[in-house]
């Protein structure tokens, strides 16, 4: 008698497939979790300068990275990476000595180390190869789409932050106290999407990335953030030029399509958006109050530095010295309302320029160390970008890393660290550091893109 084999179920097991995907992702999962935390509503955690759930998770990511490095006996960092990431450590520690209180010194050190050293180092060590890098890049795109969709809904329903007397400013889950949060997240996603489109990959990947880029242009416009507009436009143009002019026409067509959606579909561009765009060219001729405040605080920061050129006025001391160095053109604060927040005046506690913030509070020595680390990552990353373009391997990763770092360095002219979205800046620096400093960025099997 013939014994028939037992029937087998050839249908794929979704649970097993999910477990295999998790095993493939491996150590980079904590980084993806950290990015995902920025999708959650902030609630009371978004008010003031206190910590957020994302800040807590960033600490766990750093701890996980340290434990994993000890267990696997992994060499923590290369010599170059140790020097580049170590420069801010010494600079911030010296600047902390000039703080007016122990609490300000500790709070400032923790924040700077978190964003400039610890989170970037953790990302550098947990991203193993270019596939892991792409996972984080797509996570930034997904986060941008999520926050952007909430922002578009806020604009359409009039539930956003207050702008020109109407609650239409798209701010996502970050609320009216961090109007730059959503624009930053969306801009990160847009830069990544453009890079993933230009960098090759399968046709499906390119089409998906291009569609995401077009979709992210809508909430970026509705954020009414001039600094994010400028930085994103500059970076996207540079990405197109570096990747090759042959794709420029297609990308231009996508930009025109996005403009049609904005103007025709949402009615944007007829009044407020056009006024906001035109105000970019009027920052010297007829600046609005926000620009006047920014110029006044910039001048105050430079005046502080001139009195304390080497070490600055001390960590977290800009608010204490502001009124003594600012002119009477400075207003009492900015108006905050909408997106679930009652009207109030938010004090201006920083110059809204990262370079001047470091210069005024920490002095020229610290600025040279911090900016020198960023410049080193940019130069080393650009060298590897040239190699990736020549070998046609990892070009998308190169464009993501260099694009994000360039965007951040441009945006720092108009903004500084602070707010619930700041932890994501540490992830961006980590991606840039991985591409510039990790051996895994340029190594890999033959044929791997």
């Amino acid at each position: 008698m013939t014994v028939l084999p037992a029937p087998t179920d050839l249908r794929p097991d979704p649970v097993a497939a999910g477990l295999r995907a998790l095993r493939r992702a491996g150590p980079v999962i904590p980084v993806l979790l950290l990015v995902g935390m920025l999708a959650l509503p902030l609630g009371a955690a978004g008010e003031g300068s206190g910590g957020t759930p994302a800040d807590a998770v960033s600490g766990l990511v750093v701890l996980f990275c340290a434990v994993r490095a000890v267990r696997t006996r992994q060499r923590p960092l290369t010599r170059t990476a140790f020097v580049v990431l170590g420069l801010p450590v010494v600079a911030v520690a010296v600047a902390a000595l000039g703080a007016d209180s122990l609490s300000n010194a500790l709070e400032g050190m923790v924040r700077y180390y978190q964003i400039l050293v610890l989170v970037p180092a953790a990302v550098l060590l947990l991203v193993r190869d270019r596939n892991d890098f792409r996972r984080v890049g797509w996570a930034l795109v997904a986060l941008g789409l999520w926050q952007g969709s909430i922002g578009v809904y806020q604009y359409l329903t009039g539930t956003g932050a207050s702008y020109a007397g109407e609650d239409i400013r798209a701010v996502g889950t970050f609320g009216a106290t961090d109007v730059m949060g959503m624009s930053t997240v969306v801009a990160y996603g847009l830069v990544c999407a453009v890079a993933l489109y230009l960098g090759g990959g399968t046709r499906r990947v390119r089409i998906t990335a291009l569609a995401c880029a077009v979709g992210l242009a809508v909430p970026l416009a509705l954020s009414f953030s001039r600094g994010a507009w400028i930085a994103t436009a500059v970076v996207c143009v540079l990405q197109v030029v570096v990747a090759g002019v042959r794709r420029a026409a297609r990308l231009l067509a996508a930009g025109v399509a996005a403009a049609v959606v904005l103007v025709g579909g949402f009615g944007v561009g007829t009044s407020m958006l056009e006024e906001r765009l035109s105000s970019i060219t009027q920052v010297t001729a007829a600046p609005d109050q926000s620009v006047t405040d920014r110029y006044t605080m910039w001048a105050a920061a430079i005046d502080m530095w001139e009195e304390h050129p080497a070490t600055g006025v001390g960590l977290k001391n800009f608010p204490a010295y502001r009124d003594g160095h600012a002119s009477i053109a400075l207003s009492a604060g900015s108006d905050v309302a909408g997106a679930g927040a009652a009207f109030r005046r938010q004090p201006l506690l920083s110059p809204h320029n990262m370079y001047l913030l470091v210069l005024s509070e920490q002095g020229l020595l610290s600025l040279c160390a911090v900016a020198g680390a960023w410049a080193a990552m940019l130069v080393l990353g650009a060298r590897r970008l040239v190699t990736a373009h020549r070998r046609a391997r990892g070009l998308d990763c190169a464009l993501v890393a260099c694009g994000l770092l360039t965007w951040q360095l441009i945006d720092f002219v108009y903004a500084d660290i602070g707010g619930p979205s700041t932890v994501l800046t540490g992830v961006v620096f980590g991606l840039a550091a991985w591409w510039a400093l990790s051996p895994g960025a340029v190594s890999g099997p033959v044929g791997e893109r």
Side-chain angles (χ1 to χ4, degrees), residues 141 145 190 193 197 204-217 254:
V141 174
L145 289 171
L190 181 55
Y197 164 72
R204 178 181 298 179
V205 169
R206 292 197 302 270
I207 292 176
T208 303
L210 183 59
C212 292
V214 173
L216 287 168

Side-chain angles (χ1 to χ4, degrees), residues 100 289 292-305 307-308 313-314 316-334 345-352 356-357 360-361 416:
D100 61 355
Q289 185 59 48
T292 300
D293 287 341
R294 189 159 300 185
Y295 283 165
T296 304
M297 290 189 294
W298 288 2
I302 294 175
D303 197 39
M304 293 178 200
W305 167 69
E307 288 190 2
H308 306 83
V313 297
K316 307 287 288 184
N317 280 357
F318 180 88
Y321 285 79
R322 183 199 62 187
D323 292 341
H325 294 80
S327 69
I328 59 174
L330 183 66
S331 65
S334 59
R345 298 284 285 176
Q346 183 171 336
L348 303 173
L349 302 179
S350 76
H352 293 286
L356 292 180
L357 177 63
S360 62
E361 290 191 344
D416 49 50

Side-chain angles (χ1 to χ4, degrees), residues 272-309:
M272 292 185 179
L273 186 57
E274 287 183 355
E275 181 182 347
R276 192 68 166 174
L277 283 170
S278 63
S279 69
I280 295 177
T281 61
Q282 298 172 354
V283 293
T284 56
D288 57 29
Q289 185 59 48
S290 65
V291 175
T292 300
D293 287 341
R294 189 159 300 185
Y295 283 165
T296 304
M297 290 189 294
W298 288 2
I302 294 175
D303 197 39
M304 293 178 200
W305 167 69
E306 289 176 345
E307 288 190 2
H308 306 83

Side-chain angles (χ1 to χ4, degrees), residues 171-229:
V171 292
T173 63
F174 297 101
T177 58
D178 185 18
V179 293
M180 294 291 295
M182 191 213 71
S183 63
T184 299
V185 169
V186 170
Y188 286 160
L190 181 55
V191 169
C192 290
V194 172
L196 292 166
Y197 164 72
L198 295 172
T202 64
R203 179 179 175 83
R204 178 181 298 179
V205 169
R206 292 197 302 270
I207 292 176
T208 303
L210 183 59
C212 292
V214 173
L216 287 168
V218 178
L220 181 62
L222 299 179
S223 69
F224 295 99
S225 175
R226 292 170 293 197
W229 291 348

Side-chain angles (χ1 to χ4, degrees), residues 1 67 183 200 250 284 321 361 380 395 435 448:
M1 182 177 64
V67 172
S183 63
R250 282 177 287 181
T284 56
Y321 285 79
E361 290 191 344
L380 294 174
L395 180 59
W435 175 254
E448 181 186 357

Side-chain angles (χ1 to χ4, degrees), residues 65 76 97 175 214 234 236 399 416 449:
C65 178
L97 298 177
V214 173
V234 171
C236 288
L399 292 173
D416 49 50
R449 71 177 184 89

